[in-house]
Amino acid sequence: MEGHVDYRGRPILSRSAAGGWTSAAFIIGAEVLERFAYYGISINLISYLTGPLRQSTAAAAANVNAWSGAAMMLPLLGGLIGDSSIGRFRTAVISSVIYVLGLAALAVSAAEGGLSRVRTAVFFLALYAVAVAQGGHKPCAQAFGADQFDSDDPDERFSRSSFFNWMYFGVCGGTAVTVLLMSYLQDNVGWGVGFGLPCASMAVASALFLSGSPTYRFSRKSPNSASSEQNKEPLLLEKSRSGGWEDSARGILRLLPIWATCLVYAVVFAQSSTFFTKQGSTMDRRIGPNFLVPPAALQSFISVSILASLPLYDRFFVPIARSITGRPAGVTMLQRIGVGMVLSIAAMAVAAMVETKRLRIGQELGSAVTMSLWWLVPQYVLYGVSDVFTMVGLQEFFYDQAPDGLRSFGMALYLSIFGIGSFVSGFLVIVIQKISALFGDDWFSDDLNRAHLDYFYLLLAALSCVEFLLYLYFARRFRYKQGLGHSV
């Protein structure tokens, strides 16, 4: 395989010698553990901020959105470093070390009793260290995983498309366990343990990623040459490939209309770990006489619905669609993304209806605790099914359609959609709270029985409809870089 070497810098003589699903298994396993670490922090962060750190609901939601936004924007820097400087593999490894250290500091700060400025400062410094580390690890590790499949080989190109499906399947399986386990431990055992387990998980992820090194393919092509025969040094390094920065810039710019018209989807996505969780805390969470379901645990239904839907998509939907359309993946990447957008609109509409019912019960009875927590399940399930289409479709689209030498940056561009979406969500919360409070009807009151999250959800559903129309306009005019010329 010209332009590729193994971990000792030796030429790879056949595709079976390195790369493929063997390498992908190590990377998928490491990504599952990394997501356990990340979601072990993020899923219940709003509860920690409103609990031990004593922040208001609106302030905590804004802080969660700001941190999530930073964690999703920093991959732009990490991806650029991986593509143009030290390589994807090394960027992922270095980021993993910072990741473990940040999580360790987070666990120590959470384990300390009392509330002080020092403890709060250490907590937020550690939290943003995790964001920085995630920004380097996630785009480079995922792009490096896709690099294990050769796009010039028809069978491996199809396997690469399937790789994104099964990587997301594994990640969501780990997330389901994370949500159920960590939300219970954090609410009932302690935050030190609740943040300590993610640290241990990331340490194991780093070891697993490194242990797969003998099986990996590494690209030895540089930005300035067609190929490189520098096989004397056993560098674990793959360089970016590019036909020039001007061509690369044009290749990235052509993706921006799709990027921009997916931002509202990301705003919708941000609600599952903030206001959905706070809603759940006001509802009847009892199972039996003694057990209370942690509010954040319902996020597991997103993962469960993904775990149920992805195999059906990969093994049944794709073959049926392929027989009709003649396309290897059944539908185009942009078609797949669009279907998920429609489902996200449905999720917001259902969320608004459920919240309207919850408010009516709360106003009639003075409390919403008589309404079962399970009323929130449908909106979580719709979230999960929409992710199967849009999230996985976006991953494949931004990897596949980015210039060859900027594929880590392409993955980072995909992640930045959710970073900007989190910032926009936080900005909307702040602006709407100030405006609605002026009229004596605070949409985000700490007492959710006096709030109007239903109005907020309806607003997001309306914005999503506008976004979808714009997306259709640009998607129909997009031309894939392989020159196939097919529209959305």
Side-chain angles (χ1 to χ4, degrees):
M1 296 184 64
E2 184 179 356
H4 290 82
V5 295
D6 65 12
Y7 78 115
R8 293 185 181 275
R10 300 171 300 194
I12 298 174
L13 302 180
S14 69
R15 288 186 173 86
S16 61
W21 283 109
T22 300
S23 299
F26 284 98
I27 296 168
I28 289 173
E31 284 299 287
V32 170
L33 292 168
E34 184 272 333
R35 288 292 89 184
F36 181 97
Y38 180 80
Y39 284 114
I41 301 300
S42 65
I43 57 161
N44 214 16
L45 183 57
I46 193 169
S47 296
Y48 184 80
L49 296 178
T50 56
L53 293 192
R54 302 173 191 173
Q55 295 185 348
S56 67
T57 298
N63 275 323
V64 171
N65 285 324
W67 177 74
S68 298
M72 295 302 181
M73 290 299 294
L74 285 166
L76 289 172
L77 177 60
L80 192 60
I81 292 172
D83 284 335
S84 63
S85 182
I86 63 175
R88 293 167 191 161
F89 180 84
R90 283 185 173 177
T91 302
V93 171
I94 294 170
S95 298
S96 296
V97 175
I98 299 172
Y99 216 141
V100 173
L101 294 175
L103 288 169
L106 202 64
V108 171
S109 69
E112 293 181 0
L115 180 63
S116 66
R117 290 183 178 179
V118 173
R119 178 190 176 190
T120 302
V122 170
F123 176 82
F124 277 103
L125 284 173
L127 192 65
Y128 277 90
V130 169
V132 170
Q134 196 258 179
H137 175 91
K138 191 169 178 64
C140 293
Q142 289 190 353
F144 185 68
D147 288 344
Q148 305 307 306
F149 300 94
D150 185 2
S151 61
D152 293 331
D153 179 78
D155 291 335
E156 288 204 7
R157 182 174 178 81
F158 177 76
S159 294
R160 190 179 70 187
S161 180
S162 190
F163 163 77
F164 285 104
N165 287 331
W166 291 107
M167 181 179 67
Y168 203 61
F169 178 87
V171 164
C172 289
T175 302
V177 175
T178 305
V179 171
L180 293 171
L181 176 63
M182 300 309 299
S183 59
Y184 177 81
L185 290 176
Q186 289 166 353
D187 286 351
N188 296 280
V189 178
W191 290 97
V193 174
F195 288 160
L197 280 180
C199 179
S201 178
M202 190 61 216
V204 176
S206 302
L208 182 61
F209 185 76
L210 281 170
S211 68
S213 297
T215 74
Y216 297 152
R217 295 174 186 171
F218 298 88
S219 172
R220 295 302 300 269
K221 292 193 175 182
S222 71
N224 301 314
S225 62
S227 64
S228 174
E229 299 298 329
Q230 299 171 1
N231 295 325
K232 296 179 181 179
E233 297 179 8
L235 297 177
L236 297 180
L237 172 63
E238 78 292 340
K239 286 290 190 178
S240 72
R241 295 179 291 174
S242 173
W245 286 109
E246 290 184 1
D247 290 342
S248 296
R250 283 194 292 270
I252 292 296
L253 287 174
R254 63 193 287 274
L255 305 178
L256 293 185
I258 302 300
W259 178 90
T261 50
C262 292
L263 291 175
V264 177
Y265 178 87
V267 174
V268 171
F269 179 83
Q271 308 315 311
S272 64
S273 61
T274 54
F275 291 123
F276 282 14
T277 301
K278 291 303 292 182
Q279 278 178 277
S281 67
T282 70
M283 302 174 78
D284 184 1
R285 299 183 282 123
R286 293 173 295 176
I287 295 181
N290 299 316
F291 184 76
L292 285 178
V293 177
L298 278 194
Q299 292 179 50
S300 63
F301 279 97
I302 297 177
S303 299
V304 169
S305 61
I306 291 171
L307 293 174
S309 302
L310 259 175
L312 293 175
Y313 181 91
D314 196 73
R315 298 303 181 190
F316 293 97
F317 176 80
V318 170
I320 293 172
R322 185 190 303 131
S323 67
I324 297 172
T325 65
R327 297 189 176 107
V331 295
T332 68
M333 291 174 277
L334 292 175
Q335 287 172 337
R336 182 175 185 172
I337 294 167
V339 171
M341 285 184 171
V342 173
L343 292 171
S344 74
I345 295 171
M348 277 293 95
V350 169
M353 289 189 290
V354 171
E355 177 62 7
T356 299
K357 179 179 178 65
R358 190 194 68 81
L359 282 172
R360 186 174 67 249
I361 293 175
Q363 291 166 358
E364 290 175 355
L365 303 179
S367 172
V369 295
T370 57
M371 184 173 178
S372 172
L373 181 74
W374 306 115
W375 277 90
L376 298 179
V377 170
Q379 63 206 57
Y380 280 108
V381 171
L382 282 169
Y383 255 59
V385 179
S386 73
D387 276 3
V388 168
F389 288 89
T390 298
M391 291 285 274
V392 182
L394 285 171
Q395 289 176 20
E396 185 177 3
F397 175 80
F398 280 97
Y399 175 87
D400 190 75
Q401 296 301 303
D404 289 351
L406 290 173
R407 280 177 162 166
S408 292
F409 188 80
M411 294 300 296
L413 200 62
Y414 140 72
L415 291 169
S416 72
I417 293 173
F418 297 91
I420 295 291
S422 292
F423 286 132
V424 172
S425 179
F427 176 76
L428 282 175
V429 169
I430 292 170
V431 171
I432 291 172
Q433 183 185 39
K434 291 183 180 297
I435 294 174
S436 61
L438 290 176
F439 294 93
D441 193 21
D442 186 354
W443 286 16
F444 307 111
S445 171
D446 287 344
D447 182 357
L448 289 191
N449 290 333
R450 298 180 179 274
H452 270 296
L453 293 181
D454 53 340
Y455 293 171
F456 184 55
Y457 296 156
L458 286 173
L459 174 63
L460 292 183
L463 291 175
S464 296
C465 290
V466 175
E467 172 201 49
F468 181 66
L469 294 176
L470 291 171
Y471 173 82
L472 285 180
Y473 174 82
F474 289 109
R476 287 184 179 276
R477 285 156 179 78
F478 185 84
R479 292 294 177 264
Y480 293 87
K481 74 176 185 180
Q482 290 85 358
L484 298 178
H486 52 268
S487 65
V488 65

